[in-house]
Amino acid sequence: MKKTPPAKSPASKQPAKASAKQMAKPSLAPGVMPDSELKAIIASGAILADGGVKPDQIQPASLDLRLGKVAYRLRASFLPGKSVVADRLDDSLVMHTLDLTRGAVLETGCVYLVPLQERLRLPKDVSAAANPKSSTGRIDVFVRAVSDRARAFDGVPAGYSGELYAEISPRTFSVLARTGDRLLQLRVRRGPPKPVRDMTFSLDLFPTKSDIVGYRAKRHSRVIDLAAIGAHAIDDFWEPIRARGGRIVLDPGEFYILASKEKIVIPLDEAAEMAPIAPELGEFRAHYAGFFDPGFGVTHSKGKAVLEVRSREVPFILEDGQPVGRLVFEKLTAEPDVPYGAAGSYSTYAGQGLRLSKYFQAAED
């Protein structure tokens, strides 16, 4: 009798086993999206841009947004409410239009609206929130995101489909801006925000290597060129602040750069944001740029929060160890492929101590 050959095992008919990374699928879990999911929703068309989104716009848990071709000088800031933003840009609101493709100076005390290159077509369960980039906040340029029919700045509702705009108001320094400059970043999340914990941090007015505890911005300085990284002399724009007995006095309306006493560590499965100003902490505002990406402080011995501080109506005393702010943590849907500060990342402030914006020479003290 002729024998039937033994059947081949299923394994022999299958290709070589895929790696864990090849088998991984985008997470559908709620939370803040890391770089891998940002790439996936960009590929799906949920985030669009003429010419595409560039790889170096994608951070561990946020996306850099780019200025478009024009800036509208406005009579005043506004929220569109029930309107599409473009429908409001008429002679009653717009004073004149600047061409950013050739570069234009955005002056202190003025309000500008700039259409961004990125547009959104978000799924129904996906929302977003914007915040100034750290480099923007540290030069006292007040930037907020505006979307069509928005009733609040910086928030983008789930399922939003439309354009994005940046409202820009330089406070201390005028800036030379161009098409493609990045002043805002976008954090994208699935489901509603769900904070998992928070952390209060305090002020460091006893530095270990120098008697400089911070910097105060000089008014009436020259223009900061946003394309000139590391090209501006500190002395032209800042005066160092020294603390006597661990104490300084904030002058009303002046802008300061200070640092936290605590090292800030953002685990690889979380993202954090500085909470809005807490009036109970004193008569000052302690930040203008608030996103912390996963990996910050993990791979470096230092990793402090740098604070953009302005006193409000009255002089205010700050003391070493005084609470000045709060970090709120959220879970990621997955760990990032490239954490903040890791090799291959586009991180600027990993391992920072007291540090000015990247636009200044030798900014780390």
Side-chain angles (χ1 to χ4, degrees):
M1 175 184 282
K2 186 176 181 181
K3 293 184 178 180
T4 304
K8 293 182 180 180
S9 67
S12 66
K13 296 182 179 180
Q14 302 297 323
K17 187 176 181 181
S19 69
K21 198 163 189 177
Q22 289 173 324
M23 295 175 65
K25 296 180 179 180
S27 169
L28 296 178
V32 173
M33 293 187 181
D35 47 13
S36 58
E37 283 210 69
L38 289 174
K39 293 174 184 177
I41 66 167
I42 290 168
S44 75
I47 300 177
L48 307 163
D50 293 338
V53 176
K54 295 182 178 180
D56 67 352
Q57 290 180 247
I58 300 172
Q59 303 296 332
S62 58
L63 177 74
D64 291 349
L65 302 175
R66 298 168 295 174
L67 300 184
K69 296 180 179 180
V70 298
Y72 300 101
R73 165 74 163 91
L74 304 181
R75 292 177 56 202
S77 173
F78 76 102
L79 277 169
K82 296 181 180 180
S83 305
V84 172
V85 173
D87 294 341
R88 298 287 300 274
L89 300 178
D90 55 26
D91 292 342
S92 66
L93 182 63
V94 177
M95 299 176 67
H96 60 267
T97 302
L98 304 176
D99 181 2
L100 295 185
T101 64
R102 305 176 66 177
V105 174
L106 308 184
E107 299 183 18
T108 58
C110 299
V111 180
Y112 302 88
L113 191 74
V114 180
L116 297 174
Q117 295 186 36
E118 289 72 31
R119 309 182 301 279
L120 301 181
R121 304 289 185 269
L122 298 179
K124 293 181 179 180
D125 62 339
V126 174
S127 63
N131 223 305
K133 288 177 62 65
S134 294
S135 299
T136 308
R138 296 183 201 193
I139 56 172
D140 201 20
V141 175
F142 192 45
V143 185
R144 301 186 288 190
V146 183
S147 55
D148 292 334
R149 301 182 177 87
R151 296 181 180 273
F153 293 106
D154 291 333
V156 181
Y160 176 77
S161 180
E163 308 296 318
L164 290 175
Y165 300 81
E167 182 190 279
I168 304 172
S169 180
R171 303 290 300 276
T172 299
F173 306 123
S174 296
V175 296
L176 175 58
R178 301 174 181 81
T179 299
D181 284 340
R182 306 171 187 186
L183 303 183
L184 275 173
Q185 54 193 355
L186 194 72
R187 182 160 282 177
V188 183
R189 63 169 56 86
R190 182 178 292 107
K194 289 186 177 180
V196 294
R197 61 190 178 95
D198 61 21
M199 167 192 172
T200 299
F201 55 88
S202 61
L203 191 63
D204 185 8
L205 295 182
F206 276 120
T208 56
K209 293 183 179 180
S210 168
D211 60 347
I212 297 175
V213 299
Y215 295 90
R216 179 168 54 200
K218 294 181 178 179
R219 293 190 177 273
H220 314 297
S221 300
R222 61 189 179 88
V223 171
I224 292 177
D225 185 343
L226 297 180
I229 307 301
H232 303 78
I234 291 177
D235 290 345
D236 290 342
F237 297 87
W238 301 93
E239 58 179 297
I241 299 296
R242 294 171 171 84
R244 293 185 177 180
R247 176 183 297 176
I248 63 173
V249 178
L250 302 180
D251 292 323
E254 297 300 309
F255 182 72
Y256 299 81
I257 296 293
L258 303 170
S260 70
K261 181 172 287 291
E262 296 80 7
K263 178 183 176 180
I264 306 299
V265 177
I266 312 300
L268 297 183
D269 62 345
E270 293 180 348
E273 181 177 1
M274 285 193 190
I277 183 172
E280 67 273 14
L281 294 181
E283 295 299 314
F284 63 95
R285 176 169 178 155
H287 75 91
Y288 289 85
F291 285 162
F292 284 76
D293 275 350
F296 183 91
V298 172
T299 57
H300 296 77
S301 59
K302 292 190 295 184
K304 293 189 174 187
V306 169
L307 310 173
E308 304 102 21
V309 177
R310 173 177 275 108
S311 182
R312 292 187 284 181
E313 302 298 329
V314 299
F316 190 78
I317 294 175
L318 290 178
E319 298 184 345
D320 183 69
Q322 180 171 339
V324 290
R326 185 167 58 94
L327 281 176
V328 178
F329 293 77
E330 286 186 72
K331 283 291 185 183
L332 298 178
T333 62
E335 291 188 6
D337 288 342
V338 184
Y340 194 92
S345 71
Y346 301 102
S347 309
T348 301
Y349 301 109
Q352 69 181 0
L354 173 65
R355 183 170 179 182
L356 295 171
S357 180
K358 66 183 180 182
Y359 302 112
F360 299 100
Q361 301 169 356
E364 180 109 34
D365 181 84

